[in-house]
């Protein structure tokens, strides 16, 4: 960063340091912002504003001599002298380095995210059509709408194809490129890097105190241990179904149990769950690719395959609803007639009996628990009513005895003939 900064027409040397001590050199805050814009390349408005605010927090007001120097170097300036701030050159270089490293890390993650997002066929490769659509999105986001996207798409395609060919990743008869080819595009096409920097480098998260961080880490450690203790038997029973990912899931679960840090334990536990979900979707997409490529085995039972595929689709739907906090997403299919109709309408007629039997099995499995909870609730309410009645009666005897004594003192009621 310092080498590129020296090219910026001497912007580093606003205020000369005393006794040639370069560590105490000062830079005008306005010029520091220009240096940051040049070195860090275009970013979102929020990210740029957050970094400028960070530089401003480390600056100090300029002295009167600095203001006189500014007015002397700008003879055409009219009006009141502006409020000038300055920042130490060393502090500016440190902040630029940290922000550069953070943006590079987020840019690498965004590169993979963009590749997966434009992989419409979900086969780990980008076709020519997908490359053209991506080029149009890049030009639109970076403000180069007048540029022909076909030229950019051709440049991207040639670079990616050459990189794949050099590594032997090209497939005969399939015109598409891999993630390795996309990495070459990002490395050699500046407008693509500007697109990633603009769209995938958000502002840094606000810093919190050490005490709060320690409390959050302890919570994560305890929560992960509790979830592991409750569900580890279930995850181990599902390991044979994750196929080739079984050793990886076992490793993640083991690291989650042994981690000393709460954040590390939760990360390993989430990686285990993510790997299991990824394995499930890989099996699902594998079945779809067999149908697409006409590689279905003739011995497969058609109705059984349909039932299994429909079950998996419904399970994915339920899982997504639960992950996005739609409460009662599973049980409401039984309790809500509209949801029952929606569930039945989403399957073909010859599979509706299977769905109704599955719902009936869930209801029969849960009915004893419902009855038990209902009985406990009724007994609890009855005990509270009984206690309330006893307390009420305990406060009434004195007033009732007084009324009875008053009736006996008046004597028997006389009747008039």
């Amino acid at each position: 960063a310092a080498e590129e900064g020296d090219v910026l027409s001497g912007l580093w040397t606003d205020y000369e340091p005393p006794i040639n001590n370069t560590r105490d050199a000062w830079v005008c805050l306005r010029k520091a912002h220009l240096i940051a814009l040049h070195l860090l390349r275009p970013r979102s408005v929020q990210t740029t504003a957050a970094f400028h605010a960070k530089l401003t927090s480390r600056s100090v007001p300029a002295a009167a001599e600095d203001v006189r120097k500014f007015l002397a170097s700008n003879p055409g300036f009219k009006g009141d002298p502006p409020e000038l701030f300055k920042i130490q050159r060393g502090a500016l270089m440190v902040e630029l380095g940290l922000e550069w490293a953070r943006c590079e890390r987020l840019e690498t993650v965004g590169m993979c995210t963009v590749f997966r997002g434009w992989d419409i066929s979900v086969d780990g490769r980008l076709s020519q059509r997908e490359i053209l659509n991506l080029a149009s999105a890049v030009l639109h986001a970076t403000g180069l709408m007048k540029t022909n996207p076909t030229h950019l798409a051709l440049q991207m395609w040639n670079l990616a194809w050459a990189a794949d060919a050099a590594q032997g990743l090209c497939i005969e008869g399939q015109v598409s490129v891999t993630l390795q080819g996309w990495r070459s595009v990002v490395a050699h096409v500046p407008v693509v890097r500007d697109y990633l920097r603009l769209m995938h480098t958000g502002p840094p998260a606000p810093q919190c105190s050490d005490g709060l961080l320690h409390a959050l880490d302890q919570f994560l450690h305890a929560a992960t241990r509790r979830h592991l203790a409750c569900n580890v038997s279930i995850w181990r029973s599902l390991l044979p179904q994750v196929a080739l990912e079984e050793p990886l899931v076992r490793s993640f679960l083991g690291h989650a149990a042994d981690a000393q840090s709460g954040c590390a334990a939760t990360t390993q536990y989430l990686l285990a769950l993510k790997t299991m979900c990824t394995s499930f979707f890989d099996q699902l997409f594998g079945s779809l690719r067999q149908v697409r490529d006409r590689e279905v085995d003739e011995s497969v039972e058609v109705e059984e395959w349909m039932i299994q595929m429909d079950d998996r689709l419904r399970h994915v739907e339920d899982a997504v609803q639960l992950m996005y906090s739609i409460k009662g997403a599973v049980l409401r299919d039984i309790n809500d007639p509209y949801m029952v109709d929606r569930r039945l309408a989403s399957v073909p007629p010859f599979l509706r009996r299977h769905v109704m039997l599955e719902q009936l099995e869930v209801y029969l499995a849960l009915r004893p628990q419902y009855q038990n909870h209902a009985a406990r609730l009724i007994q609890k309410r009855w005990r509270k009513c009984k206690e309330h009645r006893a307390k009420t009666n305990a406060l009434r005897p004195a007033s009732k005895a007084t009324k009875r004594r008053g009736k006996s003192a008046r004597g028997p009621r006389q009747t008039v003939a």
Side-chain angles (χ1 to χ4, degrees), residues 292-343:
R292 184 191 64 186
D293 300 336
R294 300 180 180 180
E295 298 177 354
V296 181
D297 192 353
E298 294 292 339
S299 61
V300 174
E301 292 290 341
V302 177
E303 185 174 352
E304 181 181 353
W305 188 91
M306 292 179 180
I307 292 175
Q308 184 179 12
M309 179 59 67
D310 189 76
D311 285 344
R312 289 182 174 182
L313 288 176
R314 289 188 291 108
H315 294 164
V316 170
E317 292 172 353
D318 292 338
V320 172
Q321 293 181 55
L322 290 175
M323 283 191 294
Y324 283 90
S325 301
I326 300 179
K327 298 181 179 179
V330 177
L331 294 181
R332 69 178 182 177
D333 285 354
I334 303 174
N335 301 326
D336 190 350
Y338 170 75
M339 298 305 298
V340 174
D341 294 339
R342 181 194 63 81
R343 175 57 60 87

Side-chain angles (χ1 to χ4, degrees), residues 106-395:
L106 294 178
E107 187 176 306
T108 303
V109 176
M111 174 176 57
C112 301
T113 303
V114 170
F115 183 87
R116 290 193 299 266
W118 288 94
D119 182 14
I120 308 300
S121 56
V122 199
D123 57 356
R125 308 177 73 89
L126 292 180
S127 64
Q128 289 182 334
R129 184 64 182 176
E130 292 166 347
I131 289 287
L132 179 59
N133 295 335
L134 176 56
S136 300
V138 168
L139 294 176
H140 185 272
T142 53
L144 302 175
M145 285 81 73
K146 296 183 179 180
T147 305
N148 190 351
T150 305
H151 298 320
L152 178 60
L154 183 60
Q155 181 186 6
M156 295 166 60
W157 176 261
N158 292 335
L159 287 171
W161 184 264
D164 283 348
Q167 300 183 18
L169 299 177
C170 297
I171 300 178
E172 184 178 358
Q174 187 172 1
V175 186
S176 57
V177 295
T178 64
L179 179 60
Q180 297 300 325
W182 171 241
R183 293 179 189 274
S184 178
V185 172
V186 175
H188 294 89
V189 182
V191 67
V192 177
R193 293 203 67 185
D194 290 343
Y195 169 76
L196 294 176
R197 184 64 61 94
L198 182 64
M199 303 300 294
H200 293 276
T201 54
Q207 300 292 329
C208 55
S209 62
D210 294 339
L212 178 58
L213 289 176
H214 181 67
L216 294 177
D217 191 77
Q218 285 186 328
F219 166 76
L220 291 175
H221 195 270
T224 304
R225 289 292 183 89
R226 183 174 66 253
H227 284 275
L228 270 174
C230 295
N231 300 301
V232 67
S233 59
I234 300 177
W235 306 143
R236 288 176 178 172
S237 66
L238 296 177
L239 287 179
Q241 301 183 31
V242 298
L244 300 177
E245 305 295 339
E246 179 178 352
L248 188 59
V249 175
R250 288 185 181 275
S251 175
F252 286 143
L253 292 176
H255 291 325
D258 299 335
Q260 300 298 322
S261 168
C263 187
T266 306
T267 300
Q268 296 296 320
Y269 187 54
L270 290 177
L271 286 174
L273 298 179
K274 179 183 177 181
T275 306
M276 297 176 70
C277 294
T278 303
S279 177
F280 178 86
F281 278 99
D282 288 343
Q283 297 175 19
L284 194 60
F285 286 121
S287 301
L288 297 177
R289 280 193 292 268
Q290 289 179 356
V291 177
R292 184 191 64 186
D293 300 336
R294 300 180 180 180
E295 298 177 354
V296 181
D297 192 353
E298 294 292 339
S299 61
V300 174
E301 292 290 341
V302 177
E303 185 174 352
E304 181 181 353
W305 188 91
M306 292 179 180
I307 292 175
Q308 184 179 12
M309 179 59 67
D310 189 76
D311 285 344
R312 289 182 174 182
L313 288 176
R314 289 188 291 108
H315 294 164
V316 170
E317 292 172 353
D318 292 338
V320 172
Q321 293 181 55
L322 290 175
M323 283 191 294
Y324 283 90
S325 301
I326 300 179
K327 298 181 179 179
V330 177
L331 294 181
R332 69 178 182 177
D333 285 354
I334 303 174
N335 301 326
D336 190 350
Y338 170 75
M339 298 305 298
V340 174
D341 294 339
R342 181 194 63 81
R343 175 57 60 87
L344 292 178
S346 65
V347 298
F350 66 91
L351 293 180
R352 291 178 183 176
R353 181 188 175 196
H354 171 73
V355 176
M356 296 176 68
L357 290 176
E358 186 183 58
Q359 292 176 344
L360 183 60
E361 290 178 358
V362 175
Y363 170 73
L364 293 177
L366 294 177
R367 186 170 68 171
Q369 300 182 21
Y370 284 158
Q371 292 175 346
N372 188 20
H373 292 324
R376 290 183 178 180
L377 179 62
I378 293 174
Q379 292 175 1
K380 184 177 180 180
R381 296 296 300 175
W382 171 249
R383 292 194 191 97
K384 286 187 176 181
C385 291
K386 200 172 181 180
E387 293 175 359
H388 179 71
R389 185 177 297 176
K391 291 179 180 179
T392 304
N393 293 336
L395 299 175

Side-chain angles (χ1 to χ4, degrees), residues 61-77:
E65 181 64 25
D66 300 328
V67 177
R68 285 195 294 270
K69 180 180 177 181
F70 171 81
L71 295 176
S73 60
N74 295 273
F77 183 83

Side-chain angles (χ1 to χ4, degrees), residues 22-51:
T22 57
R23 291 181 300 176
D24 293 335
W26 293 88
V27 181
C28 177
L29 184 61
R30 295 183 179 185
K31 294 184 178 180
H33 290 168
L34 293 177
I35 294 171
L37 290 175
H38 177 81
L39 295 180
L40 301 176
R41 299 203 309 275
R43 295 164 295 156
S44 65
V45 176
Q46 295 82 2
T47 305
T48 304
F51 186 70

Side-chain angles (χ1 to χ4, degrees), residues 2 6 12-13 22-23 25-27 87-94:
D6 291 335
W12 288 102
T13 55
T22 57
R23 291 181 300 176
W26 293 88
V27 181
I87 183 173
Q88 283 189 340
R89 176 176 177 174
L92 175 60
M93 294 177 65
V94 169

